[in-house]
Amino acid sequence: MSKYFIPVLFLIILFLSAIKRVKPYDAFTSGAKSAIPFAQSVFPYLTSIFVLTELFEISGLSLMITNFLSPFFAFLGIPTELTKLTLIKPFSGSGSLALVSEIYQKYGVNGYLSRCASVIYGSSETVFYVASVYFVNAKNKNLTAPIIISLVAGFFSCVFACFICKII
């Protein structure tokens, strides 16, 4: 059924554009043309996020912070093995996916840790990537409050995810 979604969507768009007398190709190229300045304005922010994420991992700061915060996270119900995932998720989606894959390989896919890792991975977003994309054109560039709120909400989603996985 899902293989028909794109062709049906395409036909609906053509049908609606005929009703509204809009030239679909011209509208598409106009939209693509306006995407280029947006991509140019987002590029420096995304580059800085990717570079800082890599530096965080390579410098060893990630490991130091993980070791320091593991007891606190364990007290709140997040297993020690998932501390790094909890810390990396707001910074890097691909990095956290790699950590989830490592957890699957090491502990299997059906265990408590793997379930927690899956829910943690799916229950939060890469905060800094989203902030760089959504706030690039904002007039007020003060992102402190939205980022702090997002990080706190993401952390509590990790605590709650582990709690739910424990009782299920």
Side-chain angles (χ1 to χ4, degrees):
M1 189 71 162
S2 63
K3 66 182 176 181
Y4 298 115
F5 180 76
I6 297 293
V8 169
L9 181 64
F10 183 74
L11 291 174
I12 290 170
I13 290 171
L14 287 178
F15 178 72
L16 291 175
S17 64
I19 290 173
K20 292 186 174 191
R21 299 184 189 269
V22 173
K23 296 179 181 177
Y25 183 76
D26 293 340
F28 176 78
T29 55
S30 173
K33 184 178 175 183
S34 67
I36 292 172
F38 176 73
Q40 286 177 328
S41 65
V42 170
F43 184 74
Y45 296 99
L46 293 180
T47 303
S48 65
I49 294 300
F50 293 138
V51 169
L52 291 173
T53 301
E54 192 64 27
L55 286 174
F56 182 68
E57 186 66 30
I58 290 172
S59 69
L61 187 59
S62 170
L63 183 61
M64 287 174 24
I65 292 173
T66 299
N67 291 337
F68 178 75
L69 292 176
S70 289
F72 174 70
F73 282 18
F75 175 75
L76 293 175
I78 298 174
T80 304
E81 298 86 354
L82 301 181
T83 301
K84 189 171 182 181
L85 175 63
T86 304
L87 293 173
I88 293 294
K89 182 61 178 153
F91 295 98
S92 173
S94 58
S96 54
L97 181 59
L99 289 173
V100 170
S101 296
E102 287 176 19
I103 291 167
Y104 290 165
Q105 289 174 354
K106 189 172 184 179
Y107 300 103
V109 294
N110 292 325
Y112 168 69
L113 287 173
S114 296
R115 283 195 319 261
C116 286
S118 297
V119 178
I120 287 172
Y121 180 75
S123 67
S124 60
E125 185 55 73
T126 51
V127 173
F128 294 98
Y129 173 80
V130 171
S132 67
V133 171
Y134 288 142
F135 291 107
V136 70
N137 288 329
K139 292 180 187 199
N140 182 1
K141 297 287 187 188
N142 186 2
L143 301 177
T144 307
I147 287 177
I148 289 173
I149 291 168
S150 298
L151 290 173
V152 169
F155 178 72
F156 282 115
S157 74
C158 294
V159 172
F160 190 68
C162 292
F163 173 73
I164 291 294
C165 289
K166 188 173 268 190
I167 62 174
I168 291 181

